[in-house]
């Protein structure tokens, strides 16, 4: 009878019959039995239990693998509850090892939902959650706030210390799980970037344990690196005086990163940053990634020293554990009424007004010189050798006073037998680029050959239609015909400093009064790499314009600068407005600045092609990349 109701779909649907949170708990209880027996948890078992409690298969749409991974994480929590407080009585090194063995029994997260990608829902691995709680020195008298509770892995670590909890989770499905898993615990569903504003009253936690999205904000499609400091800042304001905040972040969010140094200094003037240490990415391997992360510990007490302790290297968990043991004890704090947490109200914030960004103060280099070099004759070697690779250095040019590359470069033995062309182009660069070794000899060679290509145009003239999709050969003397500038492809591998080379090519154009550039990359987080490489050559962070901070359809209010955007941002459009049009209008139809397509494989499959099952549609990112080239044919790309 139930099956008939499902198939007819006239009175009920799956959501009205199934309690999502309870179904996940039911699956987790079955999976926990396997973990308690210390047996591996195969995906077949997970799938079978999901089919059983969700009354259908993943193929039929009854559940997604994201739901299954949530159930696995809840099963780990139930495992911890089975062990109880006795797990904390063991040596910390033993606990970390046991938790690593537990996670090794579970399947790897290999599939993600759209929601998990947009909100960057990477739960905290159990061994790392243990270290975060350990850093917080959680006690039974504490009120612990977790602004992004997820499935409760961090919260359970605090619960093992008998602490009271106050949870927040924006995702509806995860909130359903938390209500079942932590009954009676105050649970809110607000954007944690403003959690201090949303929670009204005297409810102030003594400890905040958090793993916020690294660069994602709700209802904002583009990546937002400012999300991390916003989460931390709001949670730090909510924290009681004398309390402790421990957060996981991306490894780039460090006091040693010039981009974020001022943020840490500002916090340190009001609180005390006790530790910032990188975490080896392998701890996240079971969660489907190996991204390096960072643990930061902050006490809300006046800082009694100016230096901010920071370890730039990424360490393994046992090494981090040794550092945690050296953390100072927590200060005393004034406890607020725990019951007030349940009465805390959620308020609606007023709409924010948009404030125009100030004009950039562009970097104007001094002592620009024309880079002189000697072109040398090339002679073939004796032929192929037994070795697969040869040590690389520029074969056709010698640049006076240029320094060799700081790391060893190599090329295939076969490629070493091919003569590079003799260049004639001479870049315009500040003199300190050579004298201080800001670009190595090999990197300068790339700037030279890029300029060489950009000096020439492809043969023939063409007509580009208004859609920037169709390019046709123009008749001789035809009006509105354009020529396409030659492009240049950089195929160097890891270690050659491709970002620095891209910055060098932009700088060459910059020094020749072409002070508009476009830098397209795969991820918004890579804007930090772009800033790093540009600043390394003497530029200013203010020269980098984040398109994600400018509203779609609004004019870009900068007369010069390096416009940074992602491929996904480049193809976004709404209500007849498009990012591509916004960029082209800013650049101007006669744009001759540089366009850098970083991670350009993201533009693959720009044309429809025949596949095994028929025609495969062209990639939208590839199409919009071609449109940008067609719209700006004179660009140095």
């Amino acid at each position: 009878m139930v099956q008939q109701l499902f198939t007819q779909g006239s009175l009920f649907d799956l959501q009205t019959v199934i309690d999502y949170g309870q179904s996940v708990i039911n699956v987790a209880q079955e999976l926990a039995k396997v973990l308690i027996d210390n047996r591996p948890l195969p995906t077949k078992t997970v799938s079978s239990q999901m089919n059983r409690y969700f009354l259908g298969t993943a193929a039929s749409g009854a559940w997604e693998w994201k739901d299954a991974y949530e159930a696995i994480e809840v099963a780990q929590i139930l495992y911890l509850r089975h062990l109880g407080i006795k797990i904390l009585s063991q040596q910390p090194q033993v606990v970390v090892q046991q938790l690593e063995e537990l996670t090794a029994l579970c399947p790897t997260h290999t599939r993600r939902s759209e929601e998990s990608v947009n909100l960057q829902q990477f739960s905290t691995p159990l061994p790392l959650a243990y270290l975060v709680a350990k850093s917080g020195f959680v006690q039974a008298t504490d009120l612990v706030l977790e602004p992004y509770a997820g499935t409760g892995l961090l919260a359970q670590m605090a619960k093992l210390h008998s602490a009271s909890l106050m949870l927040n989770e924006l995702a509806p499905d995860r909130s359903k799980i938390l209500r079942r898993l932590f009954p009676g615990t105050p649970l809110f569903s607000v954007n944690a970037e403003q959690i201090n504003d949303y929670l009204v009253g005297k409810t102030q936690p003594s400890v905040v344990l958090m793993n916020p999205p690294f660069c994602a904000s709700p209802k904002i499609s583009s990546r937002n690196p400012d999300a991390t400091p916003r989460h931390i800042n709001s949670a730090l304001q909510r924290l009681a005086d004398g309390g402790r905040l421990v957060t996981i972040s991306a490894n780039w969010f460090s006091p040693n990163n010039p981009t974020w140094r001022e943020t840490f200094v500002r916090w340190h003037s009001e609180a005390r940053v006790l530790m910032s240490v990188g975490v080896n990415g392998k701890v996240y391997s079971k969660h489907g990634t190996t991204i390096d992360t960072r643990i930061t510990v902050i006490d809300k007490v006046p800082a009694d020293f100016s230096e901010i302790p920071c370890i730039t290297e990424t360490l393994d968990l046992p090494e981090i554990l040794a550092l945690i043991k050296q953390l100072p004890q927590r200060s005393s704090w004034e406890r607020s009424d725990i019951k007030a947490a349940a009465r805390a109200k959620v308020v609606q914030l007023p709409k924010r007004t948009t404030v125009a960004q100030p004009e950039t103060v562009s970097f104007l280099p001094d002592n620009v010189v024309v880079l002189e070099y000697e072109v040398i004759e090339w002679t073939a070697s004796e032929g192929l050798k037994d070795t697969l690779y040869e040590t690389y250095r520029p074969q056709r040019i010698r640049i006076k006073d240029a320094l060799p590359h700081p790391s060893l470069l190599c090329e295939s033995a076969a490629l070493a037998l091919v003569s590079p062309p003799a260049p004639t182009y001479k870049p315009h660069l500040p003199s300190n680029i050579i004298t201080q070794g800001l670009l190595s000899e090999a990197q300068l060679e790339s700037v030279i050959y890029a300029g060489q290509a950009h000096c020439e145009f492809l043969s023939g003239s063409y007509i580009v239609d208004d859609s920037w999709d169709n390019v046709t050969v123009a008749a001789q003397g035809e009006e509105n015909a354009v020529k396409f500038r030659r492009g240049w492809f950089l195929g160097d591998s890891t270690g050659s400093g491709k970002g620095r080379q891209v910055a060098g090519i932009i700088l060459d154009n910059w020094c020749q009064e072409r002070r508009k550039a476009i830098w397209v990359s795969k991820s918004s987080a890579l804007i930090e790499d772009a800033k790093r490489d540009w600043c390394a050559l003497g530029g200013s962070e203010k020269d980098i314009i984040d398109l994600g901070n400018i509203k779609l359809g609004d004019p870009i209010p900068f007369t010069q600068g390096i416009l940074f955007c992602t491929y996904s941002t480049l193809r976004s459009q709404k209500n007849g407005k498009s990012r591509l049009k916004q960029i082209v209008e800013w650049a101007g139809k006669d744009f001759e600045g540089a366009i850098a397509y970083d991670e350009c494989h993201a533009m693959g499959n720009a044309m429809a092609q025949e596949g095994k099952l028929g025609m495969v549609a062209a990639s939208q990112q590839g199409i919009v990349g071609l449109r940008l080239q067609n719209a700006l044919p004179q660009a140095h790309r």
Side-chain angles (χ1 to χ4, degrees), residues 88-379:
L88 300 178
S89 63
Q90 303 178 85
Q91 290 295 321
Q93 296 90 335
V94 177
V95 177
V96 170
Q97 183 178 354
Q98 286 185 351
L99 295 178
E100 287 178 333
E101 291 172 353
L102 171 63
T103 54
L105 296 175
C106 300
T108 302
H109 299 194
T110 56
R111 308 167 206 181
R112 304 203 177 280
S113 68
E114 184 176 351
E115 179 188 62
S116 64
V117 172
N118 290 339
L119 296 180
Q120 294 186 344
Q121 294 176 331
F122 287 91
S123 299
T124 311
L126 272 185
L128 186 57
Y130 172 73
L131 292 191
V132 169
K134 192 79 174 172
S135 302
F137 287 18
V138 179
Q139 305 169 13
T141 56
D142 281 319
L143 172 60
V144 178
L145 167 65
E146 189 181 354
Y148 264 93
T151 53
L153 292 168
L154 267 174
Q156 183 57 43
M157 283 298 172
K159 197 69 175 176
L160 287 177
H161 293 82
S162 302
S164 301
L165 299 177
M166 186 166 64
L167 307 178
N168 179 71
E169 175 52 47
L170 190 60
D173 284 348
R174 287 185 160 187
S175 293
K176 295 174 185 176
I177 297 171
L178 292 170
R179 286 193 183 95
R180 293 285 186 175
L181 201 55
F182 299 94
T185 298
L187 174 63
F188 309 100
S189 298
V190 300
N191 180 4
E193 287 179 278
Q194 297 95 29
I195 197 162
N196 181 54
D197 303 301
Y198 276 117
L199 301 186
V200 177
K202 297 181 179 180
T203 305
Q204 288 186 288
S206 56
V207 177
V208 175
L209 305 179
M210 58 192 299
N211 180 12
F214 295 167
C215 52
S217 295
K219 299 182 180 180
I220 297 179
S221 58
S222 60
R223 289 294 178 254
N224 177 22
D226 289 329
T228 293
R230 286 176 182 172
H231 280 103
I232 297 174
N233 189 60
S234 189
L236 195 58
Q237 293 178 50
R238 174 68 3 202
L239 183 65
D241 291 339
R244 176 167 293 183
L245 181 148
V246 186
T247 183
I248 299 170
S249 68
N251 190 39
W252 46 258
F253 189 70
S254 161
N256 279 6
N257 185 336
T259 303
W260 305 111
R261 176 71 183 176
E262 184 178 341
T263 299
F264 279 90
V265 170
R266 184 172 62 253
W267 286 337
H268 198 64
S269 65
E270 303 171 356
R272 180 167 57 182
V273 181
L274 299 177
M275 181 179 76
S276 176
V277 57
V279 183
N280 192 309
K282 66 183 181 182
V283 72
Y284 265 95
S285 59
K286 278 293 180 178
H287 287 251
T289 183
T290 55
I291 183 175
D292 291 338
T293 53
R294 177 164 290 271
I295 293 178
T296 302
V297 182
I298 305 175
D299 271 1
K300 197 172 180 180
V301 297
D304 52 5
F305 52 88
S306 58
E307 183 180 357
I308 300 178
C310 178
I311 298 176
T312 56
E313 296 85 0
T314 56
L315 306 182
D316 293 331
L317 298 188
E319 297 173 304
I320 297 174
L321 187 59
L323 293 174
I324 292 172
K325 293 178 180 178
Q326 301 175 32
L327 287 173
Q329 293 293 324
R330 290 198 2 233
S331 304
S332 60
W333 64 287
E334 184 176 348
R335 181 179 177 82
S336 60
D337 185 6
I338 295 291
K339 294 181 180 179
R343 298 196 300 269
K345 299 178 181 178
V346 177
V347 299
Q348 295 296 325
L349 297 180
K351 293 183 178 180
R352 294 184 298 172
T353 56
T354 303
V355 180
Q357 291 178 285
E359 174 64 282
T360 55
V361 181
S362 293
F363 153 59
L364 302 174
D366 297 324
N367 303 320
V368 175
V369 297
V370 177
L371 180 64
E372 299 291 343
Y373 55 86
E374 177 188 3
V375 178
I376 62 176
E377 292 296 325
W378 181 88
T379 56

Side-chain angles (χ1 to χ4, degrees), residues 431-594:
S431 58
N432 68 322
I433 295 293
I434 295 91
T435 57
Q436 297 179 13
L438 302 182
L439 289 173
S440 69
E441 184 182 37
Q443 291 171 329
L444 287 167
E445 180 191 37
S446 294
V447 177
I448 292 170
Y449 277 116
Q452 184 73 35
H454 294 155
C455 285
E456 302 175 13
F457 286 82
L458 301 179
S459 60
S461 297
Y462 302 88
I463 298 294
V464 180
D465 71 356
D466 293 337
S467 69
W468 303 320
D469 277 331
N470 302 310
V471 180
T472 56
V473 177
Q476 187 173 3
E478 186 171 352
E479 190 178 358
N480 297 326
V482 298
K483 283 183 169 292
F484 283 92
R485 191 182 299 275
R486 280 185 59 189
W488 185 73
F489 179 81
L490 176 60
D492 289 349
S493 60
T494 303
S496 56
K498 293 186 288 296
R500 187 75 66 93
Q501 295 177 61
V502 169
I505 294 168
I506 294 175
L507 180 58
D508 176 27
N509 284 271
W510 197 275
C511 293
Q512 297 182 60
E513 302 299 325
R514 295 187 284 270
R515 293 204 173 112
K516 278 186 179 181
I518 302 168
W519 192 321
V520 190
S521 195
K522 189 176 181 180
S523 164
S524 62
L526 292 176
I527 191 173
E528 304 306 324
D529 294 349
K531 291 178 180 178
R532 176 201 64 201
D533 293 321
W534 179 248
C535 292
L537 300 186
S540 168
E541 285 188 13
K542 295 181 179 179
D543 297 328
I544 309 290
I545 305 165
D546 188 352
L547 183 61
N549 292 334
I550 302 173
K551 187 178 178 181
L552 175 63
D554 285 357
I556 299 174
F558 302 100
T559 58
Q560 54 189 14
I562 303 169
L563 188 65
F564 183 95
C565 71
T566 64
Y567 291 104
S568 58
T569 300
L570 186 63
R571 64 185 172 92
S572 61
Q573 54 185 339
K574 186 177 181 180
N575 298 330
K577 302 174 183 178
S578 73
R579 287 294 191 184
L580 179 60
K581 184 178 180 181
Q582 186 182 32
I583 293 170
V584 172
E585 288 178 350
W586 174 75
K589 63 178 183 179
D590 297 326
F591 175 75
E592 292 187 343

